[in-house]
Amino acid sequence: MAKYMVLIYGDAQQWDAMTDEQWRAHDAAHEAFVARAGAQIIDGQQLELASAATSLRSDALGQLNTTDGPFLETKEALGGYYLLEATDLDEVTSMVTLLPEVHATHSGVEIRPVVDHG
């Protein structure tokens, strides 16, 4: 089985504007995804807002620069992830269509295979 990282992106302002009813529907969709994926989920967590991030980069002289917040200026920020085991990308894609971020206009999901060095 291969491992796949499912990265969930969205607009924090849109998430903040959601009603209680919208949050219940959102959470129910994640619960449906978790139920479908079951033991194939190795890990998954919601992340703090991008404003809580710390970014590290080296400049041309090799000096380490630390900045608050995400490195890139973007409307959509990484909000959470799932790490899955699956037979192939088609299986992951099928499961991920249950996530509400796939269907909202202010968010999206990225799937990346995990490199196996072993």
Side-chain angles (χ1 to χ4, degrees):
M1 283 248 206
K3 292 181 184 171
Y4 294 87
M5 180 66 76
V6 176
L7 303 168
I8 301 169
Y9 292 91
D11 181 344
Q13 290 179 333
Q14 294 287 330
W15 282 327
D16 288 342
M18 287 171 53
T19 66
D20 288 342
E21 183 179 328
Q22 289 171 319
W23 272 114
R24 282 190 294 276
H26 182 271
D27 291 343
H30 274 274
E31 289 170 10
F33 170 78
V34 169
R36 163 61 178 86
Q40 290 176 277
I41 296 176
I42 297 167
D43 191 21
Q45 299 291 324
Q46 181 179 356
L47 301 175
E48 291 289 342
L49 294 177
S51 58
T54 300
S55 294
L56 302 170
R57 294 272 176 167
S58 292
D59 63 18
L61 301 174
Q63 297 288 61
L64 184 63
N65 294 308
T66 304
T67 57
D68 293 335
F71 182 75
L72 300 174
E73 291 295 323
T74 180
K75 190 172 187 178
E76 291 183 352
L78 183 62
Y81 70 92
Y82 288 103
L83 179 60
L84 303 175
E85 271 191 327
T87 54
D88 57 29
L89 181 60
D90 290 338
E91 182 180 19
V92 176
T93 302
S94 173
M95 285 187 274
V96 167
T97 60
L98 295 172
L99 293 173
E101 291 83 4
V102 172
H103 306 284
T105 59
H106 62 84
S107 58
V109 174
E110 178 181 349
I111 301 169
R112 286 198 200 180
V114 175
V115 176
D116 181 5
H117 288 286

